[in-house]
Short mmCIF file of all heavy atoms in Angstrom, two decimals:
data_model
loop_
_atom_site.label_atom_id
_atom_site.label_comp_id
_atom_site.label_asym_id
_atom_site.label_seq_id
_atom_site.Cartn_x
_atom_site.Cartn_y
_atom_site.Cartn_z
N MET A 299 24.46 -3.88 -29.53
CA MET A 299 23.12 -3.70 -28.95
C MET A 299 23.17 -2.62 -27.87
O MET A 299 23.94 -2.72 -26.93
CB MET A 299 22.62 -5.03 -28.39
CG MET A 299 21.37 -4.94 -27.51
SD MET A 299 19.85 -4.57 -28.40
CE MET A 299 19.56 -6.11 -29.28
N THR A 300 22.36 -1.59 -28.03
CA THR A 300 22.29 -0.54 -27.01
C THR A 300 21.47 -1.03 -25.81
O THR A 300 20.43 -1.67 -25.98
CB THR A 300 21.63 0.73 -27.59
OG1 THR A 300 22.43 1.20 -28.68
CG2 THR A 300 21.51 1.82 -26.55
N ARG A 301 21.96 -0.73 -24.63
CA ARG A 301 21.25 -1.11 -23.40
C ARG A 301 20.94 0.15 -22.60
O ARG A 301 21.66 1.15 -22.70
CB ARG A 301 22.08 -2.08 -22.56
CG ARG A 301 22.35 -3.41 -23.26
CD ARG A 301 23.11 -4.36 -22.37
NE ARG A 301 22.38 -4.72 -21.15
CZ ARG A 301 21.47 -5.68 -21.10
NH1 ARG A 301 21.16 -6.36 -22.18
NH2 ARG A 301 20.86 -5.95 -19.96
N VAL A 302 19.88 0.10 -21.83
CA VAL A 302 19.50 1.25 -21.01
C VAL A 302 19.36 0.79 -19.55
O VAL A 302 18.90 -0.32 -19.27
CB VAL A 302 18.18 1.89 -21.52
CG1 VAL A 302 17.01 0.93 -21.46
CG2 VAL A 302 17.87 3.17 -20.75
N ARG A 303 19.77 1.66 -18.65
CA ARG A 303 19.54 1.42 -17.23
C ARG A 303 19.28 2.77 -16.55
O ARG A 303 19.55 3.83 -17.12
CB ARG A 303 20.72 0.70 -16.57
CG ARG A 303 22.00 1.49 -16.53
CD ARG A 303 23.11 0.68 -15.88
NE ARG A 303 24.37 1.42 -15.89
CZ ARG A 303 24.70 2.33 -14.97
NH1 ARG A 303 23.87 2.61 -13.96
NH2 ARG A 303 25.84 2.98 -15.05
N ILE A 304 18.72 2.70 -15.37
CA ILE A 304 18.51 3.90 -14.56
C ILE A 304 19.42 3.82 -13.35
O ILE A 304 19.46 2.80 -12.66
CB ILE A 304 17.04 4.01 -14.10
CG1 ILE A 304 16.15 4.36 -15.29
CG2 ILE A 304 16.89 5.07 -13.01
CD1 ILE A 304 14.66 4.40 -14.97
N ASP A 305 20.17 4.89 -13.10
CA ASP A 305 21.01 4.99 -11.92
C ASP A 305 20.10 5.37 -10.75
O ASP A 305 19.68 6.53 -10.61
CB ASP A 305 22.09 6.05 -12.15
CG ASP A 305 23.02 6.20 -10.95
OD1 ASP A 305 22.66 5.75 -9.84
OD2 ASP A 305 24.11 6.77 -11.13
N ALA A 306 19.78 4.38 -9.92
CA ALA A 306 18.81 4.60 -8.83
C ALA A 306 19.28 5.64 -7.83
O ALA A 306 18.47 6.26 -7.14
CB ALA A 306 18.53 3.27 -8.13
N SER A 307 20.58 5.84 -7.74
CA SER A 307 21.09 6.83 -6.78
C SER A 307 20.82 8.25 -7.25
O SER A 307 20.88 9.19 -6.46
CB SER A 307 22.59 6.62 -6.56
OG SER A 307 23.33 6.98 -7.71
N ARG A 308 20.50 8.42 -8.53
CA ARG A 308 20.22 9.76 -9.08
C ARG A 308 18.74 10.02 -9.29
O ARG A 308 18.30 11.17 -9.22
CB ARG A 308 20.93 9.92 -10.43
CG ARG A 308 22.43 10.07 -10.33
CD ARG A 308 23.02 10.13 -11.73
NE ARG A 308 24.42 10.49 -11.71
CZ ARG A 308 24.87 11.72 -11.93
NH1 ARG A 308 24.05 12.69 -12.22
NH2 ARG A 308 26.16 11.97 -11.89
N CYS A 309 17.98 8.99 -9.60
CA CYS A 309 16.57 9.17 -9.98
C CYS A 309 15.79 9.86 -8.86
O CYS A 309 15.85 9.45 -7.71
CB CYS A 309 15.96 7.82 -10.30
SG CYS A 309 14.21 7.92 -10.71
N GLN A 310 15.03 10.88 -9.24
CA GLN A 310 14.19 11.61 -8.29
C GLN A 310 12.71 11.47 -8.61
O GLN A 310 11.88 12.16 -8.03
CB GLN A 310 14.58 13.09 -8.27
CG GLN A 310 15.99 13.36 -7.78
CD GLN A 310 16.15 13.02 -6.31
OE1 GLN A 310 15.27 13.30 -5.50
NE2 GLN A 310 17.27 12.41 -5.96
N GLY A 311 12.37 10.63 -9.59
CA GLY A 311 10.97 10.32 -9.84
C GLY A 311 10.19 11.37 -10.61
O GLY A 311 8.98 11.48 -10.44
N HIS A 312 10.85 12.13 -11.49
CA HIS A 312 10.12 13.13 -12.28
C HIS A 312 9.20 12.49 -13.31
O HIS A 312 8.23 13.10 -13.74
CB HIS A 312 11.10 14.05 -13.01
CG HIS A 312 12.06 14.72 -12.11
ND1 HIS A 312 11.71 15.75 -11.28
CD2 HIS A 312 13.38 14.51 -11.89
CE1 HIS A 312 12.77 16.15 -10.60
NE2 HIS A 312 13.79 15.41 -10.94
N GLY A 313 9.54 11.30 -13.74
CA GLY A 313 8.69 10.55 -14.65
C GLY A 313 8.77 10.98 -16.11
O GLY A 313 7.99 10.51 -16.92
N ARG A 314 9.69 11.84 -16.45
CA ARG A 314 9.78 12.24 -17.87
C ARG A 314 10.12 11.05 -18.76
O ARG A 314 9.69 10.99 -19.91
CB ARG A 314 10.84 13.32 -18.04
CG ARG A 314 10.44 14.62 -17.40
CD ARG A 314 11.35 15.73 -17.81
NE ARG A 314 11.14 16.88 -16.95
CZ ARG A 314 11.85 17.99 -17.03
NH1 ARG A 314 12.81 18.10 -17.91
NH2 ARG A 314 11.60 19.00 -16.22
N CYS A 315 10.90 10.14 -18.22
CA CYS A 315 11.28 8.95 -19.01
C CYS A 315 10.02 8.19 -19.44
O CYS A 315 9.95 7.72 -20.56
CB CYS A 315 12.20 8.06 -18.19
SG CYS A 315 11.58 7.67 -16.54
N VAL A 316 9.05 8.09 -18.56
CA VAL A 316 7.82 7.34 -18.86
C VAL A 316 7.02 8.06 -19.95
O VAL A 316 6.44 7.42 -20.83
CB VAL A 316 6.97 7.15 -17.60
CG1 VAL A 316 5.72 6.34 -17.90
CG2 VAL A 316 7.79 6.48 -16.49
N LEU A 317 7.00 9.37 -19.90
CA LEU A 317 6.26 10.13 -20.91
C LEU A 317 6.90 9.97 -22.29
O LEU A 317 6.20 9.87 -23.29
CB LEU A 317 6.23 11.62 -20.54
CG LEU A 317 5.42 11.97 -19.29
CD1 LEU A 317 5.57 13.46 -18.99
CD2 LEU A 317 3.96 11.62 -19.49
N ILE A 318 8.21 9.93 -22.34
CA ILE A 318 8.92 9.88 -23.62
C ILE A 318 8.98 8.47 -24.18
O ILE A 318 8.81 8.27 -25.39
CB ILE A 318 10.35 10.45 -23.46
CG1 ILE A 318 10.26 11.95 -23.12
CG2 ILE A 318 11.20 10.21 -24.70
CD1 ILE A 318 11.56 12.57 -22.71
N ALA A 319 9.20 7.48 -23.33
CA ALA A 319 9.36 6.10 -23.81
C ALA A 319 8.63 5.14 -22.88
O ALA A 319 9.25 4.38 -22.13
CB ALA A 319 10.85 5.76 -23.90
N PRO A 320 7.30 5.14 -22.94
CA PRO A 320 6.51 4.31 -22.01
C PRO A 320 6.71 2.81 -22.19
O PRO A 320 6.40 2.05 -21.28
CB PRO A 320 5.07 4.73 -22.31
CG PRO A 320 5.10 5.32 -23.67
CD PRO A 320 6.45 5.94 -23.82
N ASP A 321 7.20 2.38 -23.35
CA ASP A 321 7.46 0.95 -23.52
C ASP A 321 8.68 0.50 -22.72
O ASP A 321 8.83 -0.68 -22.40
CB ASP A 321 7.71 0.62 -24.99
CG ASP A 321 6.43 0.72 -25.82
OD1 ASP A 321 5.34 0.76 -25.22
OD2 ASP A 321 6.54 0.75 -27.06
N TYR A 322 9.55 1.46 -22.41
CA TYR A 322 10.83 1.12 -21.78
C TYR A 322 10.89 1.46 -20.30
O TYR A 322 11.71 0.90 -19.57
CB TYR A 322 11.98 1.84 -22.50
CG TYR A 322 12.30 1.22 -23.81
CD1 TYR A 322 11.62 1.61 -24.97
CD2 TYR A 322 13.24 0.20 -23.93
CE1 TYR A 322 11.88 1.02 -26.19
CE2 TYR A 322 13.51 -0.39 -25.14
CZ TYR A 322 12.83 0.02 -26.27
OH TYR A 322 13.09 -0.58 -27.48
N PHE A 323 10.04 2.43 -19.87
CA PHE A 323 10.14 2.87 -18.48
C PHE A 323 8.78 2.84 -17.79
O PHE A 323 7.73 3.00 -18.43
CB PHE A 323 10.67 4.32 -18.42
CG PHE A 323 12.02 4.50 -19.03
CD1 PHE A 323 12.13 5.14 -20.26
CD2 PHE A 323 13.16 4.06 -18.39
CE1 PHE A 323 13.38 5.33 -20.84
CE2 PHE A 323 14.42 4.24 -18.97
CZ PHE A 323 14.53 4.87 -20.20
N ASP A 324 8.85 2.66 -16.50
CA ASP A 324 7.67 2.75 -15.64
C ASP A 324 8.15 3.36 -14.33
O ASP A 324 9.36 3.54 -14.13
CB ASP A 324 7.10 1.34 -15.42
CG ASP A 324 5.69 1.35 -14.85
OD1 ASP A 324 5.13 2.46 -14.68
OD2 ASP A 324 5.16 0.28 -14.59
N VAL A 325 7.22 3.68 -13.45
CA VAL A 325 7.62 4.11 -12.11
C VAL A 325 7.17 3.05 -11.10
O VAL A 325 6.12 2.43 -11.27
CB VAL A 325 7.05 5.50 -11.73
CG1 VAL A 325 7.70 6.59 -12.55
CG2 VAL A 325 5.54 5.52 -11.88
N ASP A 326 7.98 2.86 -10.06
CA ASP A 326 7.66 1.85 -9.06
C ASP A 326 6.74 2.45 -7.99
O ASP A 326 6.28 3.58 -8.10
CB ASP A 326 8.94 1.25 -8.47
CG ASP A 326 9.77 2.26 -7.69
OD1 ASP A 326 9.24 3.35 -7.35
OD2 ASP A 326 10.94 1.96 -7.42
N GLU A 327 6.46 1.67 -6.94
CA GLU A 327 5.53 2.11 -5.88
C GLU A 327 6.01 3.38 -5.21
O GLU A 327 5.19 4.17 -4.72
CB GLU A 327 5.38 1.01 -4.82
CG GLU A 327 5.24 -0.41 -5.31
CD GLU A 327 6.56 -0.99 -5.78
OE1 GLU A 327 7.55 -0.94 -5.04
OE2 GLU A 327 6.60 -1.49 -6.92
N ALA A 328 7.31 3.58 -5.19
CA ALA A 328 7.88 4.76 -4.56
C ALA A 328 7.92 5.96 -5.51
O ALA A 328 8.35 7.05 -5.13
CB ALA A 328 9.28 4.46 -4.04
N GLY A 329 7.48 5.75 -6.75
CA GLY A 329 7.48 6.84 -7.72
C GLY A 329 8.78 7.01 -8.47
O GLY A 329 8.96 7.97 -9.21
N LEU A 330 9.70 6.07 -8.27
CA LEU A 330 11.00 6.16 -8.95
C LEU A 330 10.96 5.37 -10.25
O LEU A 330 10.23 4.38 -10.37
CB LEU A 330 12.11 5.64 -8.04
CG LEU A 330 12.28 6.42 -6.73
CD1 LEU A 330 13.39 5.78 -5.88
CD2 LEU A 330 12.59 7.89 -6.99
N GLY A 331 11.75 5.82 -11.20
CA GLY A 331 11.75 5.18 -12.50
C GLY A 331 12.36 3.79 -12.46
O GLY A 331 13.28 3.52 -11.68
N ARG A 332 11.84 2.91 -13.30
CA ARG A 332 12.45 1.59 -13.45
C ARG A 332 12.39 1.21 -14.92
O ARG A 332 11.50 1.66 -15.67
CB ARG A 332 11.79 0.54 -12.58
CG ARG A 332 10.35 0.22 -12.94
CD ARG A 332 9.77 -0.73 -11.92
NE ARG A 332 8.38 -1.08 -12.24
CZ ARG A 332 8.03 -2.21 -12.86
NH1 ARG A 332 8.93 -3.09 -13.19
NH2 ARG A 332 6.76 -2.45 -13.13
N VAL A 333 13.33 0.39 -15.32
CA VAL A 333 13.44 -0.03 -16.71
C VAL A 333 12.61 -1.28 -16.94
O VAL A 333 12.70 -2.24 -16.18
CB VAL A 333 14.93 -0.29 -17.07
CG1 VAL A 333 15.05 -0.92 -18.45
CG2 VAL A 333 15.72 1.01 -17.00
N LEU A 334 11.79 -1.25 -17.98
CA LEU A 334 10.97 -2.42 -18.33
C LEU A 334 11.69 -3.31 -19.33
O LEU A 334 11.58 -4.53 -19.28
CB LEU A 334 9.64 -1.96 -18.93
CG LEU A 334 8.73 -1.13 -18.03
CD1 LEU A 334 7.53 -0.65 -18.83
CD2 LEU A 334 8.29 -1.94 -16.83
N ILE A 335 12.40 -2.70 -20.27
CA ILE A 335 13.13 -3.44 -21.31
C ILE A 335 14.54 -2.87 -21.36
O ILE A 335 14.71 -1.68 -21.65
CB ILE A 335 12.47 -3.28 -22.69
CG1 ILE A 335 11.00 -3.70 -22.65
CG2 ILE A 335 13.23 -4.09 -23.74
CD1 ILE A 335 10.23 -3.41 -23.93
N ALA A 336 15.53 -3.68 -21.08
CA ALA A 336 16.91 -3.18 -21.00
C ALA A 336 17.58 -3.11 -22.37
O ALA A 336 18.47 -2.29 -22.58
CB ALA A 336 17.72 -4.05 -20.06
N GLU A 337 17.16 -3.96 -23.30
CA GLU A 337 17.79 -3.97 -24.62
C GLU A 337 16.98 -3.10 -25.57
O GLU A 337 15.80 -3.36 -25.81
CB GLU A 337 17.89 -5.41 -25.14
CG GLU A 337 18.83 -6.27 -24.29
CD GLU A 337 19.05 -7.64 -24.91
OE1 GLU A 337 18.39 -7.99 -25.90
OE2 GLU A 337 19.91 -8.36 -24.37
N VAL A 338 17.63 -2.08 -26.12
CA VAL A 338 16.94 -1.09 -26.94
C VAL A 338 16.93 -1.51 -28.41
O VAL A 338 18.00 -1.76 -28.99
CB VAL A 338 17.62 0.29 -26.81
CG1 VAL A 338 16.88 1.34 -27.63
CG2 VAL A 338 17.68 0.70 -25.33
N ALA A 339 15.75 -1.59 -28.99
CA ALA A 339 15.64 -1.89 -30.42
C ALA A 339 16.23 -0.72 -31.22
O ALA A 339 16.11 0.44 -30.82
CB ALA A 339 14.18 -2.11 -30.80
N ALA A 340 16.84 -1.04 -32.35
CA ALA A 340 17.49 -0.01 -33.15
C ALA A 340 16.53 1.12 -33.50
O ALA A 340 16.89 2.29 -33.48
CB ALA A 340 18.06 -0.64 -34.42
N ALA A 341 15.29 0.78 -33.79
CA ALA A 341 14.30 1.78 -34.19
C ALA A 341 13.94 2.73 -33.04
O ALA A 341 13.38 3.81 -33.28
CB ALA A 341 13.04 1.08 -34.69
N ASP A 342 14.26 2.34 -31.81
CA ASP A 342 13.88 3.16 -30.65
C ASP A 342 15.05 3.96 -30.08
O ASP A 342 14.89 4.66 -29.07
CB ASP A 342 13.31 2.26 -29.55
CG ASP A 342 12.03 1.57 -29.97
OD1 ASP A 342 11.30 2.14 -30.82
OD2 ASP A 342 11.75 0.46 -29.47
N CYS A 343 16.23 3.84 -30.68
CA CYS A 343 17.41 4.49 -30.11
C CYS A 343 17.24 6.01 -30.01
O CYS A 343 17.68 6.62 -29.02
CB CYS A 343 18.65 4.16 -30.93
SG CYS A 343 19.28 2.49 -30.58
N ALA A 344 16.59 6.64 -30.99
CA ALA A 344 16.41 8.09 -30.95
C ALA A 344 15.52 8.49 -29.78
O ALA A 344 15.81 9.47 -29.07
CB ALA A 344 15.83 8.59 -32.27
N ASP A 345 14.46 7.74 -29.56
CA ASP A 345 13.57 8.03 -28.43
C ASP A 345 14.30 7.86 -27.10
O ASP A 345 14.12 8.66 -26.17
CB ASP A 345 12.35 7.11 -28.45
CG ASP A 345 11.30 7.55 -29.44
OD1 ASP A 345 11.43 8.66 -29.99
OD2 ASP A 345 10.34 6.78 -29.66
N LEU A 346 15.10 6.84 -26.99
CA LEU A 346 15.83 6.60 -25.74
C LEU A 346 16.89 7.67 -25.52
O LEU A 346 17.12 8.10 -24.39
CB LEU A 346 16.43 5.20 -25.75
CG LEU A 346 15.53 4.09 -25.21
CD1 LEU A 346 15.40 4.18 -23.70
CD2 LEU A 346 14.14 4.08 -25.82
N ALA A 347 17.52 8.12 -26.59
CA ALA A 347 18.49 9.21 -26.46
C ALA A 347 17.79 10.48 -26.02
O ALA A 347 18.33 11.25 -25.21
CB ALA A 347 19.21 9.43 -27.79
N ASP A 348 16.57 10.70 -26.50
CA ASP A 348 15.76 11.85 -26.08
C ASP A 348 15.46 11.74 -24.58
O ASP A 348 15.56 12.72 -23.83
CB ASP A 348 14.47 11.89 -26.90
CG ASP A 348 13.69 13.17 -26.69
OD1 ASP A 348 14.27 14.16 -26.21
OD2 ASP A 348 12.49 13.17 -27.00
N ALA A 349 15.08 10.54 -24.13
CA ALA A 349 14.81 10.33 -22.71
C ALA A 349 16.06 10.59 -21.87
O ALA A 349 16.00 11.22 -20.81
CB ALA A 349 14.29 8.91 -22.48
N GLU A 350 17.20 10.12 -22.36
CA GLU A 350 18.46 10.33 -21.64
C GLU A 350 18.74 11.83 -21.49
O GLU A 350 19.08 12.30 -20.40
CB GLU A 350 19.60 9.66 -22.40
CG GLU A 350 20.96 9.77 -21.73
CD GLU A 350 22.06 9.17 -22.57
OE1 GLU A 350 22.03 9.32 -23.81
OE2 GLU A 350 22.95 8.54 -21.99
N ARG A 351 18.55 12.57 -22.56
CA ARG A 351 18.80 14.02 -22.51
C ARG A 351 17.78 14.73 -21.62
O ARG A 351 18.10 15.76 -21.00
CB ARG A 351 18.71 14.63 -23.92
CG ARG A 351 19.93 14.45 -24.77
CD ARG A 351 19.83 15.32 -26.02
NE ARG A 351 18.68 14.99 -26.84
CZ ARG A 351 18.66 14.06 -27.78
NH1 ARG A 351 19.75 13.38 -28.05
NH2 ARG A 351 17.57 13.82 -28.47
N SER A 352 16.56 14.21 -21.56
CA SER A 352 15.47 14.90 -20.87
C SER A 352 15.43 14.62 -19.37
O SER A 352 14.73 15.33 -18.64
CB SER A 352 14.13 14.49 -21.48
OG SER A 352 14.08 14.86 -22.85
N CYS A 353 16.12 13.61 -18.92
CA CYS A 353 16.09 13.30 -17.48
C CYS A 353 16.83 14.39 -16.72
O CYS A 353 18.02 14.59 -16.92
CB CYS A 353 16.74 11.94 -17.21
SG CYS A 353 16.84 11.60 -15.44
N PRO A 354 16.13 15.11 -15.84
CA PRO A 354 16.75 16.25 -15.14
C PRO A 354 17.89 15.83 -14.22
O PRO A 354 18.72 16.66 -13.85
CB PRO A 354 15.61 16.86 -14.32
CG PRO A 354 14.36 16.25 -14.84
CD PRO A 354 14.73 14.94 -15.47
N GLU A 355 17.92 14.57 -13.85
CA GLU A 355 18.93 14.10 -12.89
C GLU A 355 20.09 13.37 -13.57
O GLU A 355 21.02 12.92 -12.89
CB GLU A 355 18.29 13.18 -11.86
CG GLU A 355 17.07 13.74 -11.16
CD GLU A 355 17.35 15.03 -10.42
OE1 GLU A 355 18.50 15.21 -9.97
OE2 GLU A 355 16.42 15.86 -10.29
N GLY A 356 20.02 13.22 -14.88
CA GLY A 356 21.06 12.47 -15.57
C GLY A 356 21.11 11.02 -15.13
O GLY A 356 22.17 10.39 -15.10
N ALA A 357 19.94 10.48 -14.81
CA ALA A 357 19.88 9.13 -14.24
C ALA A 357 19.78 8.03 -15.29
O ALA A 357 19.95 6.86 -14.98
CB ALA A 357 18.70 9.03 -13.28
N ILE A 358 19.45 8.40 -16.53
CA ILE A 358 19.30 7.40 -17.58
C ILE A 358 20.64 7.20 -18.28
O ILE A 358 21.26 8.16 -18.73
CB ILE A 358 18.21 7.83 -18.58
CG1 ILE A 358 16.85 7.89 -17.87
CG2 ILE A 358 18.16 6.89 -19.78
CD1 ILE A 358 15.74 8.45 -18.70
N VAL A 359 21.06 5.96 -18.33
CA VAL A 359 22.37 5.64 -18.88
C VAL A 359 22.20 4.69 -20.06
O VAL A 359 21.63 3.61 -19.92
CB VAL A 359 23.27 4.97 -17.82
CG1 VAL A 359 24.64 4.67 -18.39
CG2 VAL A 359 23.37 5.85 -16.58
N LEU A 360 22.68 5.12 -21.23
CA LEU A 360 22.67 4.27 -22.42
C LEU A 360 24.09 3.78 -22.67
O LEU A 360 25.04 4.55 -22.60
CB LEU A 360 22.18 5.05 -23.64
CG LEU A 360 20.71 5.50 -23.65
CD1 LEU A 360 20.43 6.31 -24.90
CD2 LEU A 360 19.77 4.32 -23.57
N THR A 361 24.22 2.49 -22.96
CA THR A 361 25.53 1.94 -23.28
C THR A 361 25.40 1.06 -24.52
O THR A 361 24.35 0.48 -24.79
CB THR A 361 26.07 1.08 -22.12
OG1 THR A 361 25.10 0.11 -21.75
CG2 THR A 361 26.39 1.94 -20.91
N ASP A 362 26.49 0.97 -25.29
CA ASP A 362 26.51 0.13 -26.48
C ASP A 362 27.13 -1.22 -26.17
O ASP A 362 27.88 -1.36 -25.23
CB ASP A 362 27.30 0.80 -27.60
CG ASP A 362 26.51 1.96 -28.19
OD1 ASP A 362 25.29 1.82 -28.34
OD2 ASP A 362 27.15 2.98 -28.49
S1 LIG B 543 13.10 11.12 -15.81
FE1 LIG B 543 14.99 10.57 -14.72
S2 LIG B 543 14.66 11.21 -12.62
FE2 LIG B 543 12.67 11.13 -13.63
S3 LIG B 543 11.84 9.07 -13.19
FE3 LIG B 543 12.90 8.99 -15.15
S4 LIG B 543 14.99 8.34 -14.62
FE4 LIG B 543 14.05 9.08 -12.74
#
């Protein structure tokens, strides 16, 4: 099962993750990204990999 998390020490709140995978990411009151669903469905792995690549800060971490 692929899991996703955001490294809070890297996130700068660009919000690209939310645009790419709104079911999985949101931004908090401070404008920083947060994970809504940590376990990634197989059908969504490509979208999450796209979000990982698109985060300018390298803050999105996918693990198997
Ligand atoms: S795209 Fe990256 S830096 Fe921007 S909010 Fe999402 S995790 Fe944070």
Side-chain angles (χ1 to χ4, degrees):
M299 168 71 71
T300 299
R301 297 183 62 83
V302 61
R303 65 181 177 84
I304 289 176
D305 181 342
S307 70
R308 287 176 171 261
C309 178
Q310 296 293 319
H312 305 286
R314 292 192 193 177
C315 51
V316 182
L317 293 176
I318 294 170
D321 289 345
Y322 285 88
F323 301 106
D324 195 3
V325 291
D326 65 16
E327 317 76 52
L330 299 178
R332 66 185 181 99
V333 172
L334 298 174
I335 305 172
E337 295 187 352
V338 181
D342 296 332
C343 283
D345 281 351
L346 271 287
D348 189 19
E350 182 184 38
R351 280 191 300 272
S352 299
C353 175
E355 308 300 331
I358 296 173
V359 181
L360 293 178
T361 53
D362 287 321

